[in-house]
Structures are given as structure tokens and as C-alpha cells.
Amino acid sequence: MVVPVGESVTLRQTVTYAVREALSGAGEPVVHFVAPVAWHDIGDVAAGVREETEMLLERVAVWAREDGDDDLVVETTVIGADTYLFGPDDYARVIATYADDSGIERVVVDPQYSPGGNVPILRPMEAALAERGLVVDEAPVDRPTRRGRLLRRGGALQFATLFGISFLFYQLLGGFAGTRFDVATGAVSATLVAAMLHRVTFTDRLGLRTLGRRLVRLVAYVPYLLYEIVVSNLRVAYVILHPSLPIEPRMIETECAVWGGMPLTLLANSITLTPGTLTVRVHGRRMMVHTLTPAAREGLFDGALERAVRFVFYGRPALAVATPRERDDARIVEDDDGADGGETVVSGPAGGDA
Amino acid sequence: MDVTPLEVAVVGFLLGGVFFTFVTAVGVIRLPDVYARAHTASQTDTLGAGLTLIAVALVLGLETTTVKTVLLVAFIFVTNPTAAHAIARAAHEEDIEPWREDR
């Protein structure tokens, strides 16, 4: 059987259950523990995640050997490292692919398993796995499960951070008057905000150092974005005021080299914010962007914004990643014909050679 | 009549803001389809409102209201792409083909 694992309070019990089931079943007792991860091999975040995951798998293997006997075969693997895992379907896909490759039909799930951070994706993931013809089975664990609610992992630190930010913002709007009324109402509001939202606001478990570095790099990013906005504004203004309106709108599709919800959002919004490029659809890392002029298109193919966003989140090593043009990750969408040439529809004497 | 450098800057920023807002108005009329018009709408929101609000901040000087003005710009910069994306996405879901100059 396959057991997807991640940090959870009931992981130990799940391992025991899986091992017992494997030993009591017919045939050779084999348990595959797989850890689906969504990282990419760049930057300061990835190294930590990789190490953590490998340590988790080692721990699980030790537990499994404790519970099992000499016949038990334990396999541990990290899966999904080369793709972008976003929703329940993505997780189900990599797990099902692994199961198919190993000829396994049964999946045992830890009821507290939460690969999506604060986003509850366990139940849809189970449904997606069942849809792919796998037998899905939740490990019976003592601890009551709290699924269905949006909460997990919210702690005192999250509460304090959110309270601090809300309180400061409240005082800022009040002009730091410092009156007793302002302080009291600010504290009440900030407490309410923090109490309601501290479990859902922070989705990534990031260290203070990573967070601080990202903030510094974000501050450096803003002037750059403003510069890009001014330049593209002038370009679009020129095109619009030009008597012949020299526009060549094209839809382009690009596979962005950024990973995760926040980086993608920042990139998609920055693209839309600069006139001349407009994000139309986002599917995972695949973006459809409407471009107004060839110049805007070139900018996107050269990936300057993408590189800057990568820098904000992953630091200097991320600058070395190739541009979308070099990666062959960006192309102009030519209608439903699906042809790649530029002249699919232009009727001419040379037609019919496709 | 005395004109201080500050007033020159304020008028300059205001004119810039008015210029880009005007360009958007022209663009919305001249551009051919919903996607192209969404491009020019972000001009008003970014530089049109941005430059105008900079002028406002300069007039106000160092004050709490100035901070709020800057926050306004920040919020516009977050909400503009969201709205533009929502419109473009809706258009795409309705299978609206982007206009092209060659057909």
C-alpha cells in the first residue's frame, strides 16, 4: 500500500495502522511511504524543505521497522518534486502515478494529513484518488479529526504578529494620536481581527529570517516595478495617440518559472499592472497573457518581471534561471487551429501545405 | 507672481496624471475590443491616479493624511490588476476571441 506522509500529530498512529494492515493482508508485506512536496531546486527555501522532508521519511521508516517484523519491506520516496503541486488533484495525480508505477491499489491516508498548509484539501484529494481507481482508506486514529474547518497550526506567534500589524495599522490611520480612546479601540479591533484570522492568514511556515529577506527584496522590487510601469505606460500612450493605432494584439501562453501561490499572484498582478500586458487565465504555472504590442510581447518573452519576482522570493540564485524564451516556455497562441506558424489564416496561394 | 518649486512640481504631477487619464479615455474609444481596453484602463489606475495622488501628497506635506494618500496608491495597485484580470477572465470564459489586425 501507499501512505502519503507529512507532518501531523497522528502520523505515528497512521504508521502503526499501515504496518499492521500490511502484515495481516495476503501477499508480501510492503509499505510505501511517500512524501509529496512542492519545491523547486533553487533558493534558500528549497534546501530547508528538502532536508526536513528527508528527515521525516527517515523517522517514518524507523517507526515502521519498530512496528513490523523482519518480513516487512519499507520503501520511502519523495514524490512530486519536479512538478508544481497546487490543488487536491495535483496531489492525487502524483500519488496515483506512483501507485500505478509500483503496481499498488490501496492508499492509506492519515486523517490529519494536510499537504496544502492551511487549505483543507484532504477530502477532495481522497475523492480524486478514488476516482482514479484506488482503494482509499483512512487510518483510524484516536485523536478526533477536525476536518472541515479552515484552521490548523495557528499559534501564539501568528496571533501576536497579526495583532501587532492590525494594531499598528489602526494607529496609523488614526495618526498616532496616542489618546486612550485610540489605544483602547485599536486593541479591541486588533484582538478581534487576530482572533478570527490568525489561523488562516499565514499559510507558509517561514522562518523570520526568510521572511525578513523577502521583505527587503520586496522593497527593492517596488521601484523596479514602478519603473516598468512608467516605461510601458509611455509606450502604450504613444500607441493609443498614434493616428494609425499601430497595435498587434496577440494572446500568448507562458509557463512561468515561479512556484507557489504568492509568487504567482505577485507575478500575475505585476504583469496586469504594466499596461500592454494583461493576465487572462492562470492554470497552475501556465499563464495566458494578452499582449497589445510586439514590444510588450518581447518584454514578456525576456522575462524581466518574472526574474524580478523570482528574486524577491528566492534570492540571488534565482537570477540564473533562463528566460522564458531560452526555456522555450512562451509562445503565441494561434487560435483553435493549433498551428504554430504565423500565417495560419492568411489566405494565399501557398495555402494547403499544412 | 511668485511660483515656488513645490508648486511647479505639483502642477507637473497633476498634468501628468491628467495626461494619462486622457490617454485612457482616448484608448477606451479607439481600441477595438474588451481585452485591449483593459490594458488602457490600468493606465488611469497606475499613473493617472498615481501621479495625481503624488501631487496631493506634496500639497499636504508631512502629515497623517499624506500617509493615507500613499496607502490609497498601494491599495489601487492591488485592486486594479485584480479587477482587470476578472474582466479579462470573464471575457475569455465567454469565448470572446481577441481582435487581430490581420483578419
Side-chain angles (χ1 to χ4, degrees), chain A:
Chain A
M1 68 188 73
V2 176
V3 186
V5 294
E7 283 293 351
S8 100
V9 282
T10 51
L11 181 59
R12 183 72 189 89
Q13 293 175 36
T14 306
V15 171
T16 308
Y17 173 78
V19 168
R20 203 174 57 227
E21 286 292 298
L23 288 173
S24 68
E28 211 180 333
V30 187
V31 185
H32 296 255
F33 293 102
V34 295
V37 288
W39 76 58
H40 199 267
D41 276 335
I42 52 168
D44 42 7
V45 187
V49 176
R50 178 186 288 273
E51 224 165 76
E52 231 177 69
T53 312
E54 274 161 8
M55 274 167 62
L56 176 80
L57 280 173
E58 261 172 49
R59 208 164 70 216
V60 168
V62 170
W63 285 342
R65 290 204 188 88
E66 259 173 46
D67 293 337
D69 52 29
D70 296 338
D71 296 340
L72 183 75
V73 181
V74 178
E75 302 265 356
T76 59
T77 325
V78 170
I79 56 173
D82 50 347
T83 58
Y84 172 64
L85 299 181
F86 193 73
D89 283 335
D90 298 335
Y91 283 92
R93 180 169 42 81
V94 293
I95 294 171
T97 307
Y98 179 84
D100 285 348
D101 290 348
S102 326
I104 303 168
E105 280 163 7
R106 183 164 176 209
V107 181
V108 170
V109 182
D110 176 357
Q112 293 279 315
Y113 177 54
S114 57
N118 284 314
V119 188
I121 72 168
L122 188 63
R123 204 170 265 173
M125 185 189 86
E126 286 173 6
L129 280 170
E131 223 166 75
R132 287 163 194 268
L134 292 160
V135 181
V136 184
D137 160 24
E138 268 191 19
V141 293
D142 292 342
R143 206 184 166 86
T145 64
R146 289 182 306 178
R147 259 179 317 152
R149 281 193 261 167
L150 257 177
L151 41 92
R152 221 151 306 185
R153 286 202 200 105
L157 181 67
Q158 278 80 1
F159 187 91
T161 313
L162 200 53
F163 178 87
I165 294 172
S166 314
F167 187 76
L168 277 180
F169 188 67
Y170 191 94
Q171 299 307 320
L172 180 72
L173 291 184
F176 288 106
T179 61
R180 228 179 287 164
F181 178 79
D182 268 14
V183 172
T185 51
V188 170
S189 316
T191 310
L192 277 176
V193 169
M196 285 192 286
L197 299 177
H198 76 282
R199 292 174 201 271
V200 290
T201 306
F202 304 98
T203 50
D204 285 345
R205 283 176 301 159
L206 289 176
L208 268 183
R209 264 178 53 210
T210 313
L211 206 61
R213 270 195 241 135
R214 282 187 184 180
L215 271 180
V216 169
R217 292 194 292 246
L218 189 65
V219 170
Y221 174 72
V222 169
Y224 171 71
L225 179 64
L226 289 179
Y227 165 77
E228 287 285 328
I229 286 175
V230 171
V231 170
S232 53
N233 253 303
L234 289 172
R235 282 215 192 103
V236 171
Y238 169 79
V239 170
I240 286 176
L241 297 178
H242 196 283
S244 65
L245 197 65
I247 57 168
E248 290 173 31
R250 289 287 182 287
M251 202 66 100
I252 75 163
E253 200 172 51
T254 165
E255 184 99 15
C256 305
V258 298
W259 302 268
M262 274 297 280
L264 270 169
T265 310
L266 183 63
L267 177 59
N269 275 4
S270 303
I271 286 177
T272 308
L273 212 43
T274 43
T277 51
L278 172 71
T279 315
V280 177
R281 298 306 299 255
V282 181
H283 289 291
R285 280 169 46 208
R286 185 163 287 278
M287 274 186 201
M288 282 187 83
V289 184
H290 188 260
T291 54
L292 198 59
T293 58
R297 212 140 46 231
E298 289 306 304
L300 216 54
F301 281 20
D302 288 334
L305 268 178
E306 183 193 281
R307 175 166 305 214
V309 169
R310 221 161 33 224
F311 172 71
V312 169
F313 283 91
Y314 310 106
R316 210 171 290 264
L319 293 176
V321 175
T323 66
R325 191 202 309 279
E326 286 160 5
R327 296 197 309 267
D328 205 14
D329 265 352
R331 61 185 192 86
I332 296 176
V333 179
E334 294 289 347
D335 241 31
D336 302 323
D337 306 84
D340 41 352
E343 304 99 353
T344 42
V345 183
V346 179
S347 54
D353 59 343

Side-chain angles (χ1 to χ4, degrees), chain B residues 19-34:
Chain B
F19 171 74
F20 283 106
T21 310
F22 172 73
V23 167
T24 295
V26 175
V28 167
I29 294 170
R30 288 195 78 192
L31 289 171
D33 71 346
V34 58

Side-chain angles (χ1 to χ4, degrees), chain B residues 41-100:
Chain B
S42 73
Q43 289 191 290
T44 299
D45 278 352
T46 53
L47 284 194
L51 294 177
T52 313
L53 284 171
I54 289 176
V56 171
L58 284 179
V59 171
L60 289 172
L62 262 185
E63 237 193 287
T64 324
T65 333
T66 320
V67 180
K68 288 182 190 168
T69 318
V70 175
L71 282 176
L72 265 181
V73 179
F75 287 131
I76 288 175
F77 272 49
V78 175
T79 49
N80 157 267
T82 315
H85 171 67
I87 292 169
R89 191 189 146 114
H92 190 255
E93 298 228 318
E94 291 292 313
D95 289 328
I96 296 176
E97 284 290 319
W99 177 93
R100 284 174 65 150

